[in-house]
Amino acid sequence: MYDKNVKGKFYDIQGFSVHDGPGIRTTCFLKGCPLRCLWCHSPESQEFGPELNWMEIKCSGIEECGKCLNVCPHGAITPGGTKKSPTGDKDLTLVKVDRSKCDNCGKCAEACPAQALYICGKDYTVEELMERIRREKPFYDTSGGGVTISGGECLNQPEFLLNFLKACKDEDIHTAVDTTGFAQWELIESILPYTDIFLYDLKHMDSEMHKRGTGVPNELILENARKIAKAGGKFQIRVPVMPLYNESEENFDKLGKFVLELGDAVEVVQLLPYHNLGVVKWERLGRDHPVLEATAPSNEFMEMRKKQLEDMGLTNVIIH
Ligand code: SF4
Ligand code: SF4
């Protein structure tokens, strides 16, 4: 039994995902996260509430449009910088959003014909989401895929998560829960019977360094991983690899030992090379991107760390 009317707040839903668990999947991204990772590629996931985004590239400019200028009840939108018109023969005046005045009401987004302004954060009930999931089920069935529920931190919306996972299992759909592991054990325990695999991040094995990179220590995360393994849960361990943060041989040695401790619970270890493609998302939200010195690790470096883990006895280590 589950409640099909419970609502969750999402920032995105992606079909045909092939990197968030086995097979072809639909990945559902819930809003809200207790971590603040310096390398976060999805800053729109961090806050629980809806947030206004503005994409300069889509804005037609005040001379051509300007429809957003007079709709804001708080006067948060005014003329801003300029950009060249698509033909390059004139300057277009852009808009700017004063975030200190904006309460994310969404009126300007409704008025924007180009969808340069848009609100990120939409509610779906369990049943509304299941209607979409059912349409994509044939692809899961032929590929060994299913549904991945991600975030943000999906355990931040525990009532929705539990009911949605129950709905999926009622219809024989494979479920993956992508989590930071930074949550009360009781919440994790409640979803265990309905979760086929946890996509579980191990960002740094040293707690102080973990806190520097994410804002929280790692003890709870490691302890929850041990408890999940003991309770019979399965893992795809995910490791974002960031030069100048967690890439050292010593950290990977500790990581390998910890993963071995989890034993047969670990089905896959996925090494994710750092990239900075998410920077533009911070700009859309009008936020400064955290300063991070890291550059993308080379293929050779990723292969070296993969081999280090394999030499320790880990199997099924993949790079993506
Ligand atoms: S979301 Fe609402 S408050 Fe914010 S800029 Fe747009 S109209 Fe103004
Ligand atoms: S309504 Fe949209 S496209 Fe038009 S000026 Fe405002 S942000 Fe730009």
Side-chain angles (χ1 to χ4, degrees):
M1 285 292 291
Y2 63 89
D3 184 345
K4 61 184 182 183
N5 296 314
V6 180
K7 282 184 182 167
K9 191 171 289 300
F10 291 79
Y11 70 90
D12 201 5
I13 297 171
Q14 289 175 2
F16 300 98
S17 166
V18 291
H19 297 298
D20 295 320
I24 296 173
R25 311 190 70 80
T26 302
T27 305
C28 312
F29 297 90
L30 282 160
K31 264 179 96 46
C33 186
L35 274 62
R36 288 292 179 268
C37 300
L38 293 177
W39 57 89
C40 183
H41 297 145
S42 307
E44 72 275 36
S45 74
Q46 293 182 341
E47 301 299 328
F48 178 75
E51 286 176 284
L52 180 67
N53 288 250
W54 176 70
M55 285 175 77
E56 177 182 322
I57 195 168
K58 285 193 174 180
C59 180
S60 326
I62 290 171
E63 294 81 359
E64 305 287 326
C65 170
K67 290 191 163 51
C68 58
L69 273 181
N70 298 316
V71 297
C72 178
H74 306 299
I77 300 190
T78 54
T82 59
K83 72 172 182 181
K84 285 284 177 203
S85 65
T87 47
D89 58 347
K90 57 182 172 180
D91 288 333
L92 296 173
T93 309
L94 299 165
V95 296
K96 70 175 177 202
V97 181
D98 183 342
R99 302 279 168 172
S100 68
K101 293 181 179 170
C102 174
D103 65 5
N104 298 299
C105 75
K107 287 194 170 67
C108 58
E110 285 168 23
C112 177
Q115 296 177 323
L117 288 158
Y118 62 96
I119 291 286
C120 189
K122 185 169 163 31
D123 288 348
Y124 289 87
T125 65
V126 168
E127 183 56 22
E128 285 167 344
L129 193 52
M130 286 306 293
E131 282 171 16
R132 170 166 177 171
I133 300 296
R134 283 183 199 112
R135 289 200 299 271
E136 294 172 11
K137 189 169 185 293
F139 299 102
Y140 314 153
D141 292 344
T142 50
S143 68
V147 168
T148 299
I149 189 136
S150 180
E153 172 48 68
C154 55
L155 283 155
N156 254 17
Q157 298 188 50
E159 194 188 359
F160 177 87
L161 178 63
L162 179 60
N163 282 283
F164 178 62
L165 290 171
K166 283 182 177 178
C168 289
K169 295 323 293 179
D170 254 25
E171 301 190 23
D172 201 22
I173 294 170
H174 183 275
T175 55
V177 170
D178 181 8
T179 176
T180 64
F182 191 75
Q184 289 172 27
W185 168 246
E186 290 70 25
L187 294 180
I188 297 175
E189 192 176 29
S190 71
I191 63 164
L192 254 169
Y194 313 101
T195 304
D196 292 309
I197 192 163
F198 288 89
L199 311 186
Y200 205 93
D201 278 14
L202 294 178
K203 300 175 194 332
H204 208 298
M205 299 310 293
D206 177 86
S207 189
E208 183 51 39
M209 286 298 290
H210 195 280
K211 192 169 180 184
R212 267 192 234 171
T214 69
V216 304
N218 70 6
E219 285 85 357
L220 178 65
I221 295 165
L222 301 183
E223 192 52 32
N224 281 336
R226 291 188 185 97
K227 286 178 176 172
I228 292 170
K230 197 171 169 199
K234 297 293 179 192
F235 290 106
Q236 176 167 331
I237 297 290
R238 297 177 128 183
V239 185
V241 180
M242 277 155 299
L244 303 179
Y245 179 63
N246 66 354
E247 87 293 13
S248 72
E249 188 175 350
E250 181 191 0
N251 186 52
F252 269 73
D253 187 55
K254 287 181 184 164
L255 172 79
K257 285 176 181 152
F258 182 77
V259 173
L260 286 170
E261 194 189 315
L262 300 177
D264 293 343
V266 178
E267 295 188 348
V268 186
V269 178
Q270 183 180 18
L271 304 182
L272 300 141
Y274 169 79
H275 63 76
N276 59 9
L277 299 178
V279 172
V280 67
K281 294 186 181 178
W282 291 80
E283 293 165 3
R284 287 177 198 164
L285 289 161
R287 288 197 226 150
D288 290 333
H289 184 259
V291 178
L292 194 62
E293 301 295 329
T295 52
S298 66
N299 292 342
E300 293 73 23
F301 186 85
M302 295 299 295
E303 289 294 341
M304 184 173 75
R305 286 290 169 258
K306 176 176 186 277
K307 185 167 183 313
Q308 181 185 343
L309 295 178
E310 288 168 342
D311 288 347
M312 293 175 77
L314 272 66
T315 54
N316 210 4
V317 182
I318 60 171
I319 298 171
H320 162 65

